Amino acid sequence: LAKTTQPISMDSYEGQEVNITCSHNNIATNDYITWYQQFPSQGPRFIIQGYKTKVTNEVASLFIPADRKSSTLSLPRVSLSDTAVYYCLVAPQGAAGNKLTFGGGTRVLVKP
Amino acid sequence: KAGVTQTPRYLIKTRGQQVTLSCSPISGHRSVSWYQQTPGQGLQFLFEYFSETQRNKGNFPGRFSGRQFSNSRSEMNVSTLELGDSALYLCASSPDGSQDYGYTFGSGTRLTVV
């Protein structure tokens, strides 16, 4: 499974846009990029998944450049409740069996 | 629909004891995976069960074991508890174990070993 690198932490303010970039230089052709959000004492929650270009849902957008060696999770107009740890994962779709490797994640602190 | 249910939410055990944690996946999901989360090591994969069979296993000692029942509910057992086993134990369910639509995690069981 491809190794990922993310910033350890980021601070932001309410109403701002937060962009978290994840590096995955050895991503494989059949790998997809998935982001999870985790609040304290809860399990991670699936946010968004993509393969290339841009994916958007009601929560976030995911930007993936053509070489796919990095990806950026964009959280528009964050609120205090978006304070959490965000994990970037790279793994093949349709892979038999779950053995996802979570990295250290990015701790996002949203200030008032 | 109901989410992933883990019981109990909190547990305090003494060194040397054993413990059993339970996970009920989303209805229809056949894959259940277990993770250990600690401040120092982060989220680490323990094992995955699919249709009552262990399909994948992480790098944990044999004291950590699990099983899955015909209704897809899963239990995880830790024997001869050590202080370092104190952690948040999470289970995740998915229809077939693939990450095509993401995994759904439970809220976890917080285990404290004293």
Side-chain angles (χ1 to χ4, degrees):
Chain A
L1 296 174
K3 179 177 164 53
T4 61
T5 303
Q6 308 173 228
I8 293 174
S9 64
M10 298 179 70
D11 287 359
S12 184
Y13 291 91
E14 280 190 294
Q16 288 189 333
E17 178 181 80
V18 170
N19 295 305
I20 310 170
T21 296
C22 177
S23 297
H24 27 78
N25 290 320
N26 59 339
I27 188 169
T29 304
N30 59 342
D31 282 342
Y32 279 68
I33 300 149
T34 309
W35 286 80
Y36 284 82
Q37 174 193 56
Q38 186 179 25
F39 299 113
S41 296
Q42 291 187 29
R45 181 177 75 105
F46 172 87
I47 300 177
I48 197 166
Q49 184 179 86
Y51 183 81
K52 62 180 179 180
T53 62
K54 177 184 174 183
V55 180
T56 298
N57 62 23
E58 65 278 4
V59 177
S61 293
L62 178 60
F63 299 92
I64 306 167
D67 66 5
R68 305 202 325 122
K69 292 184 183 300
S70 67
S71 59
T72 299
L73 174 72
S74 180
L75 306 172
R77 299 178 299 282
V78 294
S79 63
L80 297 178
S81 63
D82 291 316
T83 293
V85 178
Y86 293 82
Y87 295 95
C88 162
L89 288 87
V90 173
Q93 259 217 359
N98 173 9
K99 43 185 176 180
L100 292 183
T101 301
F102 285 79
T106 298
R107 191 172 299 275
V108 172
L109 174 63
V110 180
K111 303 175 183 177
Chain B
K1 58 182 177 182
V4 178
T5 303
Q6 290 189 248
T7 56
R9 285 283 280 136
Y10 302 93
L11 207 48
I12 299 176
K13 289 286 188 178
T14 304
R15 258 186 315 175
Q17 287 186 313
Q18 75 160 15
V19 67
T20 299
L21 312 181
S22 179
C23 172
S24 293
I26 290 173
S27 178
H29 285 195
R30 297 164 64 193
S31 166
V32 174
S33 302
W34 289 89
Y35 287 82
Q36 180 196 66
Q37 186 170 33
T38 59
Q41 298 297 318
L43 268 159
Q44 293 187 285
F45 172 74
L46 280 155
F47 31 65
E48 183 221 4
Y49 284 86
F50 179 79
S51 293
E52 302 179 64
T53 301
Q54 187 180 87
R55 187 160 60 174
N56 289 291
K57 189 177 189 307
N59 295 323
F60 278 80
R63 300 186 297 108
F64 292 82
S65 63
R67 59 177 175 168
Q68 186 179 34
F69 302 95
S70 58
N71 61 357
S72 293
R73 188 178 72 85
S74 177
E75 287 182 346
M76 188 191 112
N77 185 276
V78 188
S79 62
T80 320
L81 283 166
E82 301 176 359
L83 295 179
D85 296 332
S86 294
L88 179 66
Y89 289 88
L90 294 158
C91 82
S93 86
S94 78
D96 57 2
S98 74
Q99 66 137 1
D100 291 15
Y101 302 102
Y103 297 102
T104 304
F105 284 80
S107 295
T109 294
R110 171 79 60 186
L111 172 66
T112 302
V113 182
V114 297

